[in-house]
Amino acid sequence: GSDARNNLLNAMKVASMNLPEVCIVFGTDILRGSRAQKKSETSLDAFWSPVFLPLGKIGVEPELIEERVFRRLSKKLTFRPEFDSNVMFFQMFPGLKNKYVEVAINNGSRGIILNSFGAGNVPTMKYSLIPAIKKAVKKKVPVVVTSQCVESSARMLLYEAGYTALKAGAISALDMTSEAAVTKLMWILAQTKDSNKIKSTMQSNLVGEITLD
């Protein structure tokens, strides 16, 4: 039978708790929405949170783990629902050509996300994407680098391939999921056009979506 009824009932119970977060309640887990990804279309535990532990568990009743809940010092809610979806997402693969990224820049994309190899590594040799990054930065188009390693982080100071992209002006998404990075960039672009503000906000922890050392 379907698990929809139990998931709906549990979600309604969690929604009534003192939990100021957007969550996914599915199977036995209560997950932070900005950290979650879907991993299966058939499993009863179809969602997971690869780099952040669940906010709670579903037992006889939902139970929160208080120290994992993101609570703001200010209780005032500021509603800013605008998003700019004029962004392009590139899944990096061997042979991805610089010119394809430049096409997006030349055709009015306001933001670029590069889902990179390993710890935020971007090609710098035969298929270098550094010229596209520099062109984007010159046009005030932010380039955000995420990692294809879902349990890792875009630690771009670790290797030369990442550091070169950083020097060219790319922004590390650190351990944000690619989904969170895309959504966050779309939201920021609707709030400001200031390049420095875009970078600082991308690397600020707004709703528990990113781990800052």
Side-chain angles (χ1 to χ4, degrees):
S2 172
D3 58 351
R5 182 177 183 276
N6 283 339
N7 285 331
L8 177 59
L9 288 174
N10 289 326
M12 292 174 67
K13 289 178 181 179
V14 172
S16 69
M17 302 174 77
N18 182 19
L19 179 59
E21 297 208 27
V22 175
C23 300
I24 292 176
V25 180
F26 202 97
T28 60
D29 288 324
I30 304 170
L31 305 175
R32 176 171 293 154
S34 60
R35 292 284 197 167
Q37 294 180 319
K38 189 161 188 179
K39 65 177 182 177
S40 172
E41 81 283 6
T42 57
S43 172
L44 294 180
D45 288 309
F47 292 86
W48 75 320
S49 179
V51 297
F52 191 82
L53 294 171
L55 300 178
K57 303 295 288 186
I58 301 297
V60 177
E61 293 292 333
E63 295 182 8
L64 294 181
I65 302 171
E66 180 60 33
E67 60 267 23
R68 297 177 189 169
V69 176
F70 187 85
R71 299 191 185 277
R72 297 177 180 275
L73 295 178
S74 170
K75 295 183 179 181
K76 183 178 179 181
L77 175 65
T78 303
F79 188 53
R80 297 178 181 173
E82 299 83 11
F83 286 81
D84 185 344
S85 61
N86 194 18
V87 303
M88 280 295 294
F89 179 90
F90 289 91
Q91 178 81 354
M92 210 167 289
F93 59 88
L96 174 62
K97 292 180 174 59
N98 184 81
K99 66 179 181 180
Y100 297 139
V101 182
E102 292 196 359
V103 165
I105 299 167
N106 293 335
N107 281 275
S109 290
R110 290 203 57 220
I112 303 291
I113 298 93
L114 299 178
N115 199 26
S116 68
F117 305 120
N121 298 324
V122 175
T124 59
M125 300 179 72
K126 181 178 180 181
Y127 292 102
S128 176
L129 297 181
I130 302 303
I133 294 174
K134 290 181 176 179
K135 183 171 186 176
V137 171
K138 187 175 181 179
K139 287 194 166 191
K140 299 188 181 302
V141 176
V143 179
V144 177
V145 177
T146 59
S147 173
Q148 294 179 21
C149 301
V150 294
E151 294 183 280
S152 188
S153 175
R155 296 179 293 162
M156 298 174 69
L157 293 173
L158 199 57
Y159 299 106
E160 184 177 357
Y163 182 57
T164 301
L166 271 183
K167 288 196 298 181
I171 303 167
S172 172
L174 300 175
D175 66 346
M176 277 188 285
T177 64
S178 56
E179 295 90 341
V182 170
T183 306
K184 187 175 183 178
L185 181 59
M186 289 194 298
W187 181 80
I188 294 171
L189 290 173
Q191 315 306 317
T192 182
K193 294 182 180 179
D194 182 273
S195 297
N196 292 329
K197 186 70 178 293
I198 291 170
K199 179 178 180 179
S200 64
T201 309
M202 276 300 300
Q203 295 187 326
S204 297
N205 187 16
L206 303 181
V207 292
E209 77 285 357
I210 189 172
T211 303
L212 301 176
D213 295 329

